[in-house]
Amino acid sequence: MRSFRPRALGTVAAALSVGLLAAACGGGGNSGGAPGGEQQTEVKVALSDQGCAPAPASVAAGPVTFTVTNAGTAKVTEAELQSNGRILGEKENITEGLNGDFALRLDPGTYTMYCPGAAQDTSTFTVTGGGAAPASPADTSLAKATQDYHDYVVSEVAALVPATKAFDDAVRAGDIPKAESLFAPARTHYESIEPVAESFGDLDPDIDARVNDVDDPAQWTGFHRIEKALWEDKSLAGMTPMADKLDADVATLQKNVATTDYQPAQLANGASDLLDEVSTSKVTGEEDRYSHTDLWDFAANIAGARKAFELLQPALAAKDPQLAQQLEARFTDVTSGLAKYQQGNAYVDYSTVPQDQRRQLADAVNALAEPLSQVAGKVV
C-alpha cells in the first residue's frame, strides 16, 4: 500500500521471491462470488509506462474486483484505489508477467486509481447508483469481524506508542545498547497492522521507509533511519529530531486508527498484503538490513495476517469450509517453521540463517499466499 517509490530488490532477493510472488499475485481473488449471490463487477487495470486507467472507468455500486496486470513495464508495478487521500485497496509488486487482484465493496462516488511511476499516474474511477452499497455486511459474523479488527488495530497502536517512546527516549539519551534492544520489540506492533498504516498516504514512508524508498536521503526519517545510525554508523549524533518525529508520526497514526472503519474484504486484502511484505523484504533480508532483526518483522506480519483470517474464519467456513481448513493448516506450517528460530522471546540474527532455510520459509509462505488471496472475493 505504499505511495512512494517501489523498493529495489537485489539479485538474491529476486531469486528468493519470484516464485512466491507469482503465487501470491496470481490467485483468484474474485472466485466464489459475493455473499448472498451478488454478482461482482470486474475492472481490469493494465499497468504501463503511460498509466493504469481502469476499464471500465465507471461501474455500479456494490462488490468490485480489480484485476491488475502488467502490460510490459518496469517502471510501474503497483495500482492503488484511493478516496479522499486514503488508500482503500491496492496490489503491489506486479512485475512483467505477473497479475493480481483485490476486491472491495464500493459506494457511489468518485475515486482515484493511482499507479506510481507512470507518465499519467492518476485516473478517475466512478461508482454510480441511486443509493449507497450496503454499509455493513448482512452476515453478522462479518460485522463482528470488522469491529473486532478495528479494536485489534487500536490495541496494537496503543502498544506501539509507549514502545516507540521508550525506544526514542534511549535514542535521545544516546544509549545505543538500550535503543538496539528496544528496536525490534517496538516494531512488532507496527508490522502487525502495517497495511492500515500504509493506507494513510505519506505516514507509512515517514515511519518505515528504507533509504532506497526515498528520492532524497536527506529527507529520510523513521525507524530504519535510526536503525542505520545504531548498527552501521555506531552513533546517535543528530538523531534526536528523528526520534521526536517518529514519536509524533506514531501519535498521528493512533489518532487516525481510532476513527477508521473497515469492510470484510479489506481485512482479507490486508492479510495478503502482509504476506507480500514477507515475500518482498523479510524473507530476503532487505527489511532490516542493518540490524538483521527481520524475523521479528516476519513473525509480526504473519501474526497480523492470521488475526485477520481468524476474524473472517466463521464466515469463510460457512461459505467455503475446505478453504478455511486449508488456510488454518498452512498458517500453522508457517508459524511452526518460524518457531525454530526463536530464542526465548527473541529471534536469531537473520544474517545467520542459510539461504536454503530462507527458501524453506519462502516456500511455506508461498503455500499460504495463494489460498489466502481467494478470501477477499469470498467475503466482499
Side-chain angles (χ1 to χ4, degrees):
M1 286 190 178
R2 292 177 182 79
S3 56
F4 51 95
R5 192 175 66 232
R7 297 171 186 169
L9 300 180
T11 302
V12 172
L16 275 171
S17 62
V18 64
L20 182 144
L21 284 174
C25 295
N30 62 345
S31 63
E38 278 184 290
Q39 184 63 41
Q40 291 189 47
T41 301
E42 183 178 13
V43 175
K44 297 185 182 298
V45 183
L47 305 179
S48 70
D49 289 352
Q50 288 70 43
C52 61
S58 179
V59 300
V64 182
T65 294
F66 295 87
T67 300
V68 185
T69 59
N70 189 313
T73 174
K75 293 181 179 179
V76 186
T77 60
E78 173 183 356
E80 303 172 353
L81 187 73
Q82 301 181 354
S83 177
N84 298 319
R86 185 183 172 207
I87 302 169
L88 301 180
E90 55 97 55
K91 206 66 188 175
E92 296 178 291
N93 301 302
I94 306 297
T95 55
E96 188 171 2
L98 297 183
N99 62 80
D101 51 51
F102 62 94
L104 292 166
R105 178 176 290 275
L106 297 178
D107 294 340
T110 301
Y111 300 79
T112 299
M113 185 64 69
Y114 173 53
C115 46
Q120 181 176 331
D121 59 8
T122 60
S123 300
T124 299
F125 181 70
T126 305
V127 179
T128 62
S136 60
D139 187 329
T140 56
S141 67
L142 289 177
K144 184 176 188 302
T146 56
Q147 180 58 52
D148 287 353
Y149 189 71
H150 169 273
D151 296 345
Y152 169 71
V153 171
V154 168
S155 68
E156 284 296 291
V157 179
L160 173 67
V161 170
T164 302
K165 185 178 185 302
F167 168 69
D168 286 332
D169 283 346
V171 171
R172 285 184 281 259
D175 190 337
I176 290 178
K178 185 174 183 180
E180 288 182 342
S181 71
L182 295 174
F183 173 78
R187 284 179 47 75
T188 59
H189 301 293
Y190 186 80
E191 291 292 326
S192 65
I193 53 92
E194 187 166 10
V196 176
E198 290 173 342
S199 72
F200 300 118
D202 290 336
L203 193 55
D204 174 63
D206 285 349
I207 293 173
D208 199 44
R210 268 59 91 202
V211 66
N212 48 293
D213 296 331
V214 296
D215 292 322
D216 180 3
Q219 302 301 312
W220 182 27
T221 64
F223 276 115
H224 293 297
R225 175 64 187 92
I226 300 174
E227 178 197 8
K228 179 179 183 297
L230 288 167
W231 275 274
E232 182 170 281
D233 301 337
K234 308 293 186 183
S235 171
L236 289 171
M239 285 297 105
T240 291
M242 296 294 175
D244 293 344
K245 177 169 171 49
L246 182 55
D247 278 340
D249 289 337
V250 168
T252 298
L253 177 62
Q254 185 175 40
K255 179 180 178 180
N256 288 351
V257 301
T259 57
T260 299
D261 294 323
Y262 309 93
Q263 54 178 274
Q266 287 178 302
L267 273 63
N269 291 334
S272 291
D273 289 340
L274 283 165
L275 291 190
D276 189 51
E277 282 291 309
V278 173
S279 71
T280 59
S281 54
K282 277 71 173 182
V283 165
T284 64
E286 184 266 348
E287 174 83 2
D288 298 305
R289 64 188 68 172
Y290 311 108
S291 62
H292 306 300
T293 55
D294 304 85
L295 287 170
W296 289 77
D297 292 359
F298 190 133
N301 285 160
I302 296 301
R306 185 162 195 162
K307 181 66 176 181
F309 161 68
E310 288 174 348
L311 294 175
L312 294 171
Q313 191 170 19
L316 181 63
K319 186 173 180 62
D320 192 335
Q322 185 176 358
L323 178 60
Q325 292 171 7
Q326 181 185 41
L327 285 167
E328 178 61 41
R330 293 188 180 180
F331 266 113
T332 298
D333 289 343
V334 172
T335 53
S336 297
L338 189 59
K340 69 176 68 174
Y341 301 104
Q342 280 188 272
Q343 291 182 337
N345 294 324
Y347 287 90
V348 302
D349 183 312
Y350 194 55
S351 67
T352 67
V353 178
Q355 291 296 323
D356 62 331
Q357 293 182 31
R358 296 187 186 196
R359 168 51 64 189
Q360 292 172 9
L361 289 171
D363 287 345
V365 176
N366 185 17
L368 171 60
E370 190 281 327
L372 188 64
S373 71
Q374 300 178 35
V375 176
K378 303 283 186 178
V379 302
V380 67

